[in-house]
Amino acid sequence: MPDNKTYRIKANIGENHVDIDTNLVQDVGIFEFLSLKIDSENLYRMHTANYGCVAGRVLANNAIGVPNAKISIFIEATPETNSDAVLSYLYPYTSVNDVDSKNIRYNLLPEEQLFTCHRNVGTFPSKRLVLDDNNVFEVFDKYYKFTTTTNSAGDYMIFGVPVGNQMLHMDVDLSDIGDLLSQRPRDFLYKGYNVNQFENAGMFKKDTNLNSLVQIFTQDESVNVHPFWGEIDEMGEVDSTGVRITRKDINLNYKFEPTCVFMGSLITDEKSNGFTKRCVPTERMGKMDRLTTGEGTIEMIRKTPDGSVEEFSIMGNQLIDGNGVWCYQIPMNLDYVMTDEYGNIVPTNDPEKGLPTRAKVRFRFSLNDFASDYENNHLSKLLVPNNPQKIEDMNDTYVFGTKTPEDEFRDLFWNKVYSVKSYIPRIQKSNSNKEKRFSGIKAVNVNVGNNPIPYNNMRIDITFMFTLQCAIMHSLIWIAGVFNRLIYALTNALKEVSCGNVGNRMFDAAEKFGCVTIGDGMCPDLEGWYFAPNCSSENIHSNRFNRNIIFLNSTANVIAGKDNEN
C-alpha cells in the first residue's frame, strides 16, 4: 500500500513533449504534474498496463492557460450502434467530421444555455438528460467516457485511455472560458472581423455549422498513447519501475489581444462665441442651444516596455465622429502575465509570451471643423490627463511627446471602461454674481435640438411672475430687517436704565443680538455665512461670492485627478 509521499514531475511550459518518463517506486502515494495530482493507490495492479494517461495544457499566446476547453479522445461508432435506430440517432459519428440529423458535427459543446449572453450551439448532453434517459446514458458511457474539461490553469488529464494511436479532439467556446479570457464581439471587431459575422454588435451568432462561428475554435491532434505503467522496451523487456505520461499540449490558434474601452463626447462653442483677444467670454458663450460639435482626432502617446515613449495611432487618429462621440478600444502593452507550472498567474518579462494587462497613455483631442478658418478662430487642443501643479512646471506639463513628464500619463487596465472627467468651471473677470460674461454651460433647459446634458447647477431665464415673487419676498425681508434694527436699537437704549440684577441679566443677553456666524467645525459647508439680526446685505453677498470661488478652486483640483489635501 503506497504511503503519503508526493513526487512532482517537472514540466517545461510551452514545450510540447509527446511523453514524460519518470522512474518511480511503488511507495509513492501521490505525484503531481502541472496543476494536477494522481493518486497511485489503485494504479499498480498490473505488471504491464494496457491503458495510458494523456495530460497537458491548452495554451494561448504560448504562455497563458485556457480554462473550460472541452477535450476528448474520439471513439468511432461501432456497427452495433449504427444498427440501432435510437443509438445511431444520438451518436452517428464515425469520424470527427461527421454530422448528425441536424447537420451539426461531432462536438463537446453544451446543448443548454449557460448564461444570458451564451449561445448554446452544441449537442453535448446535460447531466440531467444523461441521468433521465437510458439511451443517452448508454451513449455517454460508451463514447464520451474519455472526455474532460480544462481547469482554471488550462490543464487537463484523461486517465485509462487505450494505448496506441488516438484522436484528441478539442472544442473551445471563446465566449465561455472564464472571467479572465472570455471574448466579446468587440474583441473580434478590434481584430478586424466583419460586423456581419455577428448577430449584432453585442452578441455572437448561432448556427448549426459550427465551423462558421467565430467564437468556436476546434483542433484535432493525433496522439500515440503509451502504457502508463510497465511499457515493453525495444528489447522486449518490461520496465516495471517507470511511469510514462503521454503529454500533449495544445496551442490555441487564436491570439488574445487585451484592450480597454475608451469613450466620451466633445462639444464646443460656435465660432463667434469664443473668448475675445482680452480673454473675456461673450454673453452667449456656453449657451446650450448654440453649442456645436463635429469630427475630430484623438492622438495618443504611450509608454513602451523599455520605458520610452511612442506615438500609437488607432484608425489614423480619426476617432471622433460627426456627433462628437468616440468609443474605441485601446490595446494593452505593459505588465505581461503567464500561467506558471503550478497554475498561478505570474508576471513575465517576455513580451512575446503571455498577456499584457496595462497601458500608460496620454491623449490630445482636437476638432477638425475650425481648420479652414484658423486665422480668425483659434480652437485649442485638449490634453488628457492634464494636471499643472506649479507655474514653473507648466512648460513641461503641456509637452506632448517623448519629453512628457511621467506624472502626466494615466494607467489604463485590461477590460475596464474609461471616459474623461467633465468639469466646466465658471471663469469671469467681474466680481458680480449676475455677470453673464463667464465661461460655463448656460440655459441648459433650452437645448433647441441639441442633446441635453446632465447638470447639477444651472443658469436659466426666469419668468416675470417668478421675478415678481422674488421682489415681494425681498421687500418682506427688508421690512423684517427694519424691525430687527428697531428692536436692537431699543434694547441698547433700555440698557442705560437700571433694573436690578434681573434686568442686568436680560440686558446681557440683549448684547448678543448682533450678527451670528457659524463657528469652525460646526457646519463646514456654512463657514463664513452671516445671519440676521443686524446683518448687512453687503456682508452676506460678499461672503457668499467668495465661498463660490473657493469651491471652484478646490473642485478643480479633484477633477484634475490629483488628491486634494484641503
Side-chain angles (χ1 to χ4, degrees), residues 352-422:
E352 300 299 323
K353 294 182 178 181
L355 298 175
T357 60
R358 178 174 66 95
K360 198 175 185 70
V361 302
R362 194 185 198 193
F363 305 98
R364 184 166 65 184
F365 294 79
S366 59
L367 283 174
N368 300 337
D369 290 349
F370 285 70
S372 60
D373 197 16
Y374 185 79
E375 293 298 326
N376 298 319
N377 295 278
H378 298 264
L379 188 64
S380 61
K381 293 187 177 183
L382 178 65
L383 292 173
V384 176
N386 186 30
N387 303 301
Q389 297 300 304
K390 295 181 294 185
I391 297 297
E392 55 269 25
D393 294 337
M394 284 191 176
N395 289 334
D396 293 334
T397 297
Y398 294 105
V399 172
F400 187 78
T402 57
K403 296 184 179 180
T404 300
E406 183 74 18
D407 58 356
E408 295 298 336
F409 288 87
R410 181 58 51 88
D411 287 325
L412 305 181
F413 296 94
W414 177 19
N415 272 352
K416 301 295 183 181
V417 179
Y418 295 91
S419 187
V420 179
K421 290 183 179 179
S422 298

Side-chain angles (χ1 to χ4, degrees), residues 541-557:
H541 174 77
S542 174
N543 283 277
R544 180 172 59 190
F545 183 77
N546 289 337
R547 179 60 182 173
N548 284 342
I549 297 300
I550 294 172
F551 173 75
L552 292 177
N553 289 339
S554 62
T555 306
N557 289 333

Side-chain angles (χ1 to χ4, degrees), residues 160-215:
V161 180
V163 298
N165 290 323
Q166 303 291 347
M167 177 66 71
L168 188 70
H169 178 85
M170 180 191 71
D171 282 317
V172 178
D173 184 346
L174 294 182
S175 70
D176 184 27
I177 50 176
D179 295 335
L180 187 67
L181 291 178
S182 287
Q183 301 288 278
R184 298 293 177 261
R186 61 179 175 84
D187 297 303
F188 289 87
L189 293 173
Y190 171 78
K191 294 170 68 68
Y193 285 69
N194 192 293
V195 69
N196 295 326
Q197 295 177 269
F198 306 90
E199 188 74 25
N200 53 55
M203 184 171 289
F204 291 104
K205 273 188 175 181
K206 187 175 180 179
D207 199 330
T208 57
N209 182 8
L210 301 185
N211 296 330
S212 69
L213 301 177
V214 297
Q215 75 271 25

Side-chain angles (χ1 to χ4, degrees), residues 509-558:
E511 291 179 354
K512 300 180 180 179
F513 282 6
C515 223
V516 179
T517 305
I518 297 297
D520 292 340
M522 295 176 61
C523 189
D525 288 340
L526 294 178
E527 289 182 7
W529 284 69
Y530 294 89
F531 296 88
N534 198 33
C535 290
S536 67
S537 60
E538 291 80 17
N539 287 336
I540 297 176
H541 174 77
S542 174
N543 283 277
R544 180 172 59 190
F545 183 77
N546 289 337
R547 179 60 182 173
N548 284 342
I549 297 300
I550 294 172
F551 173 75
L552 292 177
N553 289 339
S554 62
T555 306
N557 289 333
V558 174

Side-chain angles (χ1 to χ4, degrees), residues 230-361:
E231 185 175 22
I232 300 176
D233 60 22
E234 296 179 356
M235 304 297 297
E237 298 180 358
V238 176
D239 181 3
S240 61
T241 63
V243 165
R244 172 170 286 189
I245 295 176
T246 303
R247 179 175 177 180
K248 191 64 176 178
D249 291 348
I250 303 175
N251 281 301
L252 190 64
N253 293 326
Y254 177 84
K255 184 178 181 180
F256 289 85
E257 300 180 75
T259 62
C260 70
V261 176
F262 187 38
M263 60 186 295
S265 61
L266 190 150
I267 57 175
T268 187
D269 285 283
E270 292 180 340
K271 298 179 181 180
S272 60
N273 292 339
F275 283 95
T276 67
K277 293 182 179 179
R278 295 180 297 170
C279 293
V280 177
T282 64
E283 290 189 9
R284 295 178 300 179
M285 182 178 184
K287 293 193 69 173
M288 188 65 208
D289 63 333
R290 303 183 71 87
L291 295 178
T292 186
T293 187
E295 295 182 351
T297 63
I298 302 179
E299 302 168 84
M300 186 180 84
I301 56 176
R302 68 178 186 179
K303 288 284 189 177
T304 61
D306 61 4
S308 60
V309 177
E310 68 173 0
E311 182 178 350
F312 189 84
S313 176
I314 300 176
M315 299 171 60
N317 296 334
Q318 300 301 310
L319 298 164
I320 304 176
D321 65 17
N323 295 318
V325 176
W326 74 87
C327 182
Y328 65 98
Q329 292 169 259
I330 298 174
M332 306 291 100
N333 69 321
L334 301 175
D335 295 351
Y336 280 74
V337 297
M338 62 172 289
T339 307
D340 68 5
E341 180 178 346
Y342 302 93
N344 302 311
I345 301 296
V346 297
T348 176
N349 294 324
D350 188 352
E352 300 299 323
K353 294 182 178 181
L355 298 175
T357 60
R358 178 174 66 95
K360 198 175 185 70
V361 302

Side-chain angles (χ1 to χ4, degrees), residues 212-226:
S212 69
L213 301 177
V214 297
Q215 75 271 25
I216 305 302
F217 271 73
T218 298
Q219 290 178 226
D220 295 306
E221 303 280 350
S222 178
V223 57
N224 184 26
V225 181
H226 297 275

Side-chain angles (χ1 to χ4, degrees), residues 52-204:
C53 176
V54 181
R57 175 172 290 177
V58 177
L59 291 166
N61 294 25
N62 295 318
I64 194 81
V66 179
N68 205 32
K70 316 297 184 181
I71 297 177
S72 73
I73 298 295
F74 174 76
I75 301 176
E76 182 181 347
T78 63
E80 292 78 8
T81 297
N82 292 332
S83 62
D84 187 297
V86 175
L87 297 182
S88 62
Y89 173 81
L90 295 174
Y91 195 86
Y93 311 109
T94 56
S95 75
V96 293
N97 297 317
D98 287 344
V99 297
D100 62 9
S101 59
K102 298 178 182 178
N103 202 37
I104 302 176
R105 64 162 172 78
Y106 173 84
N107 68 90
L108 307 172
L109 302 169
E111 65 174 0
E112 61 179 0
Q113 187 176 24
L114 303 178
F115 48 89
T116 303
C117 294
H118 177 244
R119 306 296 276 171
N120 49 320
V121 297
T123 58
F124 195 79
S126 65
K127 183 184 295 186
R128 172 55 58 190
L129 183 59
V130 171
L131 295 177
D132 290 347
D133 191 314
N134 290 333
N135 291 316
V136 175
F137 179 83
E138 182 179 347
V139 169
F140 186 86
D141 184 59
K142 186 174 183 178
Y143 295 107
Y144 293 108
K145 58 183 176 181
F146 303 125
T147 302
T148 188
T149 300
T150 57
N151 62 13
S152 59
D155 297 334
Y156 75 93
M157 180 178 289
I158 306 176
F159 200 80
V161 180
V163 298
N165 290 323
Q166 303 291 347
M167 177 66 71
L168 188 70
H169 178 85
M170 180 191 71
D171 282 317
V172 178
D173 184 346
L174 294 182
S175 70
D176 184 27
I177 50 176
D179 295 335
L180 187 67
L181 291 178
S182 287
Q183 301 288 278
R184 298 293 177 261
R186 61 179 175 84
D187 297 303
F188 289 87
L189 293 173
Y190 171 78
K191 294 170 68 68
Y193 285 69
N194 192 293
V195 69
N196 295 326
Q197 295 177 269
F198 306 90
E199 188 74 25
N200 53 55
M203 184 171 289
F204 291 104

Side-chain angles (χ1 to χ4, degrees), residues 499-510:
C499 294
N501 292 334
V502 176
N504 288 337
R505 286 196 296 273
M506 178 183 70
F507 298 143
D508 291 339

